[in-house]
Amino acid sequence: MKISYNWLKELVPTQLNIDEFCEKLTMFGLEVEEVVQPGKKLENIVIGKVVSVEKHPNADKLSLCKVDVGGDESLSIICGAPNVVKDILVPVAMIGAKLGDFEIKKAKLRGVESFGMICSEKELGVSDDHSGIMIIKQDFEPGTPFADAMGINDNIIEVEVTPNRPDLLGMIGVAREVAVMLNTEYEHPEIAFEESEVQTKDEISVIIEDAEKCPRYCARMVKGITVQHSPEWMQRKLVASGLRPINNIVDVTNYVLLEYGQPLHAFDYTKIKDKTIVVRTAKDKEKMMLLDDTELKLHSNNLLIADTEHPLALAGIMGGLDSSINDNTKDVVIECAYFDPRNIRASALEYGLQTDSSNRFERGMDPNGLIEVIDRAAQLIQLTGGGEISSGVVDCYPHKIEPKILTLRVSRANSILNAKMSVDEVKNYLNNFEFSTKKTSEDTFEVTIPTLRPDIEREIDIIEELARCYGYNNVESHFWINRIDNKQKRTVVRLTKNHLISLGFFEVNNMSFASPDDLDVLKIPENDFRRKVVEFANPMGEQFSIMRSTLIPDLLKNADLNLSYKFENFKLFELNRIYLKEREDTFAEPTYLTGVIVGKFDPFYWKEEQRATSFYDVKGIVESVFSKIHCSKNITYKVSNQPYYEEDSAADIFLDEKKIGSCGIMKDDVLKSFEIEALVLLFDIDLSNIIPLYNEKAIRFTEIVKYPPVLRDIAVIAPSDIEVGEIEQEIKSVDPNIIKDVQLFDVYTGKQIKQGCRSLAFNITFQSETSTLTDKYVDKLFDNIVNKLSLEHQIELRQE
Amino acid sequence: MKEQIQEILEEARRSIPSCESDKDLEELRIKYLGKKSSLSDLLSKIGTVPKEERPQMGALLNKTKKEIAQLIEQKKLKLHEKADASRALGLDVTMPGRPLPVGAKHPLYQIWEEIEDIFINLGFEVAEGPEIESEYYNFDALNTPSWHPARNPQDTFYLKGGKLLRTQTSPMQIRVMEKFKPPIKIISTGRCYRVDKMDPSHLPVFHQVEALLVDEGITMSDMKGELDSFIKRIFSADTRSRFRPHFFPFTEPSAEIDILCINCKGEGCKLCKNSGWLEMGGAGMVDPAVLEEVGYDPEKYTGYAFGLGIERIAMLRYGISDIRKLVTNDLRILKQFQ
Ligand SMILES: [Zn+2]
């Protein structure tokens, strides 16, 4: 629903600026979706006074005007409108003004220059009138901004009205709500008029045949009116609320709809046969022609407003064509009724007629507010079209709909909101909503809910209203803070375990105890950190005299056990703590991931010969683990000299500069001490430093590069002591922005390659994020790579 | 001559990949590489080339031959692959496919994760703590009297230097309460140690999960309800639990938790030693002295705690009767938990 802030301020005074107001409104439950400032569109449009009008020398229909816009000199403006004359005030769009997408510039029309434009109402979006330029009747200084003069400097607030609140579909309802929100008062329009001698009930009678579908029907008469344009102030408010002015009668019904939310209908009195309005259901297959020229075929569930013979309107949804107001209408019957929401909804759905009127009726209007609304309509029709208002309202209301009376326990409200509202506070809030209260005990009220609030049906509904007054933000929050949970570690541990399992590993679980002999067997030197063991004061025996400082011995024992059960090829891992003594009384318990690959890496497959296992198998496992837990980028490998690995068959693993583990082929004699004769690959990684780095929220989507990559192969002869990793780095460093990837795809040493060298082939991916790479550019980079490798590293391009 | 060689190569590059059968491929091989091929012809005419260009031209000829041979070889492989895949005669769908490895988490840790997840779903946070603890956290702060037998070195592992291995995960609860104000809703999980000879129902190293909830207005009903929800989720919806009065230093009232025997449903069997009930762990309302120790107002706050053995739950769930099976790491056992 669109709310004009200026209009609203007429009903509820407030000093709040628009932003503060909208914030408050949203937090009170009326969510502001958008605020539009129509005046913004009217910048550089000012009031001008036409000083002189001459005929355009070269065009009959154009006039050459001088217009005073408050500056030192009058502007020369060419105008094509027939109604431009000297001394009138007009809206002038000056150079730089924008009318929609059209910007006013200095222009030459048939050889004469024009410095602006005099606008019609339609061009300014004030009305649909395009018959001539807009003539401003009030008195303004030339140069006054047009938006100020017209009061269009408004803020139009678009709010979402929830479906349970039909009372908020009118300005007065919004004003009532805002008054509660601001703890202040609001004003109803002042309704006063004189009634004629003629009694309405003598002019028109109303018969309700189906009181269930139409519980109440009110009618009033205004006789001798003139159908014409409605006054400017009314048109302006209609336009601000998104409605198009048509004529004073239609405009008044729309205006009152905007004010009260209650739909009205106006009939031409002369079209009502026998001066009788019959509210009845349609006969089967009865036909009627609607205002919009569509013909409906009705049935007995459709409610009609009819005279003694013909339908006049589809009740609450749309008027009929025959009975509608036309330019010659003199006497008007105003309808103001309450229809059963379910019936309106069914009929509107059935015929696909969701009108302003049906939308409101189907949410439930206030059956007891009709008299005020119909009086307001009569007053405004007289104000805009003259005529005489007949005396009294014909009010057909067979069974009055009474307001609901509910019991509210203040203690209940407080316990739901965890609040401490006093009885007086609660009473004040309720009265602001126009709920009347009667205290029935220290803790309870009898609350009368006005019929304009069909949404309040139970005590809990009242409590919701109190909660809004109390302020959702003032409700104390009581919650479980996530401050202890070890989610980060749990995630890394589970990712790692699940990953290894899908690679065929079995997890083992060993007890935390060990014997010092285990370290000797692994040949761990005396100064190694794993020698700082935690010793028992009361050990369970020599075999269990220390806490384990490495998981390796246990895994080797597990391997030995399973080899003895005739398993030949298998993979085991354990993810658990080790225990280290830091100082006399302080201990560390880092989490380790240790695994062994026993025998062949690949499972046996009848179709192929089983591949020999190598160092790169265990390295591949380790790399995949790191990539699973997002730390590959920080990991580097260097040749390891851990004593339990075969020489030149293992790597130490570094996280940034810190050594966190190793992987490689285990030494035969170490394995022999565990009675193992199979090949065993080992990895042994401290996860403690990696876990804190894991952050799943760091994963961000990056836009896919739309320029194609260029792939080139390079084959080089490199001295064997230069590591592949280094060469990859060197290649990348030639242009890290373009060289996205360097992949080793072939290694060869043999008789064609000179001693101490190896042939390496890499696949290089070039890609730019900003353009398509040309061959020439890639050639140049390729040459730079070749030059760099050759000059700095004696790595030569391999010749065919 | 250079142009001719180039032309032959281009033609071969087009014709070889589009060839459809072994026979056609063999024909192409003869055409490009056979004795009567145009390449052989050109090679024989190399004498006609100016002397200084001869080595270059020779190399080009060889290179071209090599490339064509490679193209033919690749195509041959491709043709065979296709044949292999579709040859109805040789296909035996009962022969094993390429084996991809499938491992398994250790059964104990599978149960551990399941327990964690149940409690996480019940709104608990998971806290971990050190296994090497001080006497204060493991005993004193938990209101354990100085004469309590649990403190004996016959029951508790003491380390050189005076620390000990925690005998329960409760010390972590003290650490959390010291650091944070209520509400507290945590489980602490992990390894615990007691001096026990290994036998079918004891290990010196075992795992525990303990729940702790402290807030205003927490009652024994909350404890019973939450524990019962857990029991029903980890075993089955019809598993009943009961609370028997007991003594623990850090809870008051204290109880032992029994569940209706999951094997005989209360009829009496070997598993429950004919009692119909299985002992699961300890529980109780946190002793006001413990709350006071961590600086909570015991008049304002109340709470409950309960502890369960993870090995015990795993054994019942899987039907393992000897706890030592959980530390043998025998693949014949582990493979059952894929
Ligand atoms: Zn039993």
Side-chain angles (χ1 to χ4, degrees), chain A residues 178-216:
Chain A
V178 169
V180 179
M181 173 179 98
L182 300 174
N183 198 13
T184 177
E185 312 255 303
Y186 73 102
E187 282 172 35
H188 281 260
E190 197 182 315
I191 302 171
F193 50 84
E194 282 193 9
E195 295 179 320
S196 68
E197 301 285 294
V198 183
Q199 292 287 316
T200 314
K201 65 179 188 316
D202 296 337
E203 301 279 337
I204 189 99
S205 41
V206 173
I207 301 163
I208 296 180
E209 285 187 359
D210 190 332
E212 204 174 294
K213 292 190 171 67
C214 176
R216 189 180 192 185

Side-chain angles (χ1 to χ4, degrees), chain A residues 481 483-486 494 498 501 505 507 509-510 512 535 537-538 562 565 576-577 579 589 606 608, chain B residues 96 98 103-106 109 116-117 125-126 128-129 131-132 153 156 158 160 183 191 193 329 331-332:
Chain A
I481 320 160
R483 50 199 175 171
I484 303 154
D485 197 38
N486 68 343
R494 290 189 182 188
N498 292 339
I501 283 152
F505 280 81
E507 184 184 23
N509 167 37
N510 291 293
S512 321
E535 292 174 282
N538 56 335
N562 285 300
Y565 294 139
N576 257 325
R577 299 184 193 188
Y579 309 86
E589 303 177 22
W606 54 269
E608 285 166 12
Chain B
R98 175 181 290 277
K105 242 172 237 187
H106 191 279
Y109 294 117
E116 272 185 347
D117 288 342
E125 296 181 68
V126 182
E128 267 191 289
E131 293 167 24
I132 299 173
T156 298
Y158 286 89
K160 285 185 180 166
R191 289 196 160 193
Y193 303 83
N329 301 310
L331 278 168
R332 295 172 302 179

Side-chain angles (χ1 to χ4, degrees), chain A residues 20 90 271 403:
Chain A
E20 294 165 338
V90 291
K271 307 283 172 58

Side-chain angles (χ1 to χ4, degrees), chain A residues 103-268:
Chain A
E103 191 181 334
I104 305 293
K105 292 182 184 138
K106 192 168 91 177
K108 225 178 203 173
L109 284 129
R110 301 244 177 150
V112 182
E113 285 191 318
S114 178
F115 297 86
M117 184 173 126
I118 303 176
C119 309
S120 72
E121 296 194 2
K122 190 179 177 185
E123 282 160 343
L124 295 172
V126 175
S127 79
D128 256 358
D129 189 357
H130 198 46
S131 58
I133 53 167
M134 178 177 180
I135 297 170
I136 293 158
K137 303 202 178 72
Q138 301 94 319
D139 198 21
F140 291 105
E141 276 295 306
T144 309
F146 176 74
D148 286 354
M150 295 291 103
I152 303 175
N153 258 347
D154 196 358
N155 291 283
I156 306 301
I157 306 167
E158 174 99 45
V159 296
E160 188 205 336
V161 174
T162 51
N164 61 332
R165 294 295 303 273
D167 62 305
L168 296 180
L169 294 171
M171 288 301 292
I172 291 168
V174 173
R176 185 186 302 116
E177 189 83 351
V178 169
V180 179
M181 173 179 98
L182 300 174
N183 198 13
T184 177
E185 312 255 303
Y186 73 102
E187 282 172 35
H188 281 260
E190 197 182 315
I191 302 171
F193 50 84
E194 282 193 9
E195 295 179 320
S196 68
E197 301 285 294
V198 183
Q199 292 287 316
T200 314
K201 65 179 188 316
D202 296 337
E203 301 279 337
I204 189 99
S205 41
V206 173
I207 301 163
I208 296 180
E209 285 187 359
D210 190 332
E212 204 174 294
K213 292 190 171 67
C214 176
R216 189 180 192 185
Y217 195 99
C218 301
R220 246 195 190 285
M221 286 277 299
V222 187
K223 299 182 81 171
I225 55 117
T226 312
V227 176
Q228 58 189 2
H229 285 302
S230 51
E232 214 178 285
W233 62 266
M234 184 178 280
Q235 291 198 16
R236 206 186 301 143
K237 282 180 172 169
L238 290 172
V239 169
S241 307
L243 292 175
R244 205 162 49 90
I246 293 167
N247 62 45
N248 54 338
I249 307 302
V250 176
D251 289 359
V252 165
T253 58
N254 280 335
Y255 185 82
V256 175
L257 175 86
L258 291 176
E259 271 190 326
Y260 288 90
Q262 165 75 37
L264 296 168
H265 197 72
F267 298 104
D268 186 326

